[in-house]
Amino acid sequence: MTKHFLSLAEQSTEELRNLLDLARQIKLHPAGFRDACAGQTLAMIFQKPSLRTRVSFQTGIYQLGGQGLYLGPKDIQLHRGETIADTIQVLSRYVDGVMARVFAHDDLVQMAEHGSIPIINGLSDLLHPCQVLADLQTIREKKETLAGRKLTYVGDGNNMAHSLMYGGAHFGMTVAIAHPRGYAPDPEVVARARAIAAGTGGAIHITEDPGEGASDADVVYTDVWASMGQEDERAERLKRFEGYSVDAALMGHARPDAIFMHCLPAHRGEEVAAEVIDSPASVVFDQAENRLHAQKAIMVRLMGR
Ligand code: CP
Ligand code: NVA
């Protein structure tokens, strides 16, 4: 059976731990993996913009001896009505793996169903698992252990909140989500994350109170208030998210040695204050760097010879 990387909920804790260990090895000894995907092509379908995902995947596959092929929103025939099923069956005849950034998560599920090559989720409206794998690598580097740590996500109950709950649950962390009313995470995702956490000693805590959510946190995390595709809701969201900025006062509820995380891109003065994201507690560029190493691990595992 072809293996995919669509959701952290579909991976076992052991698989994820192995991926994190491999990512650490790749980061320490990149030259040892120079030929791990020699001669292989990763097609990269983007229905939305990207800096980190695009550049880290393209660079990552090159560093593994393969090549990346960027397919932007207007480059292939999807926007002219070619089906996902046909597109992925054709790609399966040419390339060795597909990384796709889509709106509807179901597009990825269809790719996995109809194709015969590994599919990697480069972000969907539901989930962003590559980001969270890199984030777990970063937390492990900064805090040494994951189990028992508290990660508080403040803001929109979106793709980042969802994948953070799954990732944290796998590793026995407490993940608190503090969201404005009306912007809660998907209850099905919360239930599934709680089921994972039940087996690891982790916990999922949902609140509308950012101060309570952030209390004693080891990690405070936030993301944009209007995700890609929600541009029309931006003005409304700016009003509804008032009071949910991660500023120095909110960081004051967390542990004194707490780190600040953000998947980026960030909007200073909205979801995070400059005094926080530009402070020594911020590890946002380590997170961005680890996208490269973590995704190389995913490609080695899924496409490696
Ligand atoms: N964090 C992240 O996925 O960034 P991009 O949207 O720039 O890829
Ligand atoms: N929630 C954001 C994450 C960007 C990396 C979005 O989907 O736009």
Side-chain angles (χ1 to χ4, degrees):
M1 209 181 84
T2 312
K3 283 207 169 174
H4 306 286
F5 192 79
L6 302 188
S7 163
L8 300 181
E10 292 161 4
Q11 312 280 320
S12 70
T13 302
E14 195 193 348
E15 278 168 335
L16 289 177
R17 197 181 301 281
N18 289 339
L19 271 178
L20 285 179
D21 290 344
L22 181 58
R24 176 158 54 193
Q25 285 310 310
I26 290 173
K27 185 173 184 174
L28 284 171
H29 310 289
F33 296 86
R34 224 173 358 217
D35 300 316
C37 292
Q40 305 221 7
T41 300
L42 177 77
M44 311 192 301
I45 298 175
F46 280 92
Q47 295 181 359
K48 302 176 179 177
S50 169
L51 170 66
R52 281 144 290 269
T53 306
R54 177 178 177 177
V55 178
S56 57
F57 266 106
Q58 179 115 32
T59 306
I61 187 69
Y62 175 73
Q63 291 178 357
L64 296 171
Q67 65 165 350
L69 188 59
Y70 173 76
L71 303 171
K74 294 274 159 71
D75 291 333
I76 52 178
Q77 306 278 16
L78 278 173
H79 75 290
R80 295 184 58 249
E82 185 160 29
T83 63
I84 293 273
D86 287 355
T87 301
I88 203 68
Q89 287 180 86
V90 170
L91 284 173
S92 295
R93 302 291 178 106
Y94 299 138
V95 306
D96 305 284
V98 166
M99 188 282 300
R101 167 165 287 192
V102 299
F103 289 93
H105 186 79
D106 188 58
D107 286 0
L108 296 168
V109 175
Q110 280 192 49
M111 288 181 199
E113 253 171 44
H114 295 283
S116 55
I117 49 176
I119 311 296
I120 300 169
N121 180 357
L123 180 146
S124 66
D125 284 353
L126 186 69
L127 298 169
H128 198 2
C130 291
Q131 178 68 52
V132 170
L133 191 69
D135 294 341
L136 292 168
Q137 183 179 8
T138 309
I139 299 168
R140 209 161 76 157
E141 287 170 358
K142 303 293 173 191
K143 299 282 173 198
E144 286 174 21
T145 53
L146 294 174
R149 299 283 177 191
K150 178 175 178 185
L151 181 150
T152 300
Y153 172 95
V154 182
D156 189 19
N158 62 12
N159 44 11
M160 280 310 311
H162 293 161
S163 284
L164 284 166
M165 286 192 283
Y166 284 154
H170 269 295
F171 289 95
M173 299 175 74
T174 293
V175 180
I177 306 288
H179 66 85
R181 185 152 305 170
Y183 297 91
D186 181 334
E188 277 181 38
V189 173
V190 174
R192 202 162 173 193
R194 286 197 167 124
I196 297 169
T200 66
I204 306 293
H205 179 57
I206 311 291
T207 176
E208 291 182 3
D209 180 342
E212 181 219 318
S215 82
D216 290 326
D218 298 286
V219 180
V220 179
Y221 202 120
T222 191
D223 182 19
V224 291
W225 290 343
S227 284
M228 291 180 275
Q230 297 173 334
E231 288 75 12
D232 293 354
E233 298 174 29
R234 197 177 133 74
E236 167 76 7
R237 281 168 174 264
L238 281 179
K239 280 187 256 156
R240 301 281 296 270
F241 281 70
E242 215 177 299
Y244 287 82
S245 276
V246 177
D247 55 15
L250 185 59
M251 287 300 287
H253 292 265
R255 289 173 55 97
D257 61 350
I259 55 174
F260 170 76
M261 300 181 80
H262 192 310
C263 55
L264 304 178
H267 295 91
R268 287 169 177 76
E270 294 182 18
E271 76 275 7
V272 62
E275 67 193 3
V276 172
I277 193 169
D278 298 321
S279 76
S282 173
V283 300
V284 297
F285 299 114
D286 298 305
Q287 292 176 257
E289 179 189 333
N290 282 339
R291 293 292 301 278
L292 175 69
H293 311 299
Q295 291 161 191
K296 283 170 77 177
I298 295 168
M299 289 187 283
V300 168
R301 189 65 86 229
L302 264 47
M303 298 164 61
R305 295 190 185 287

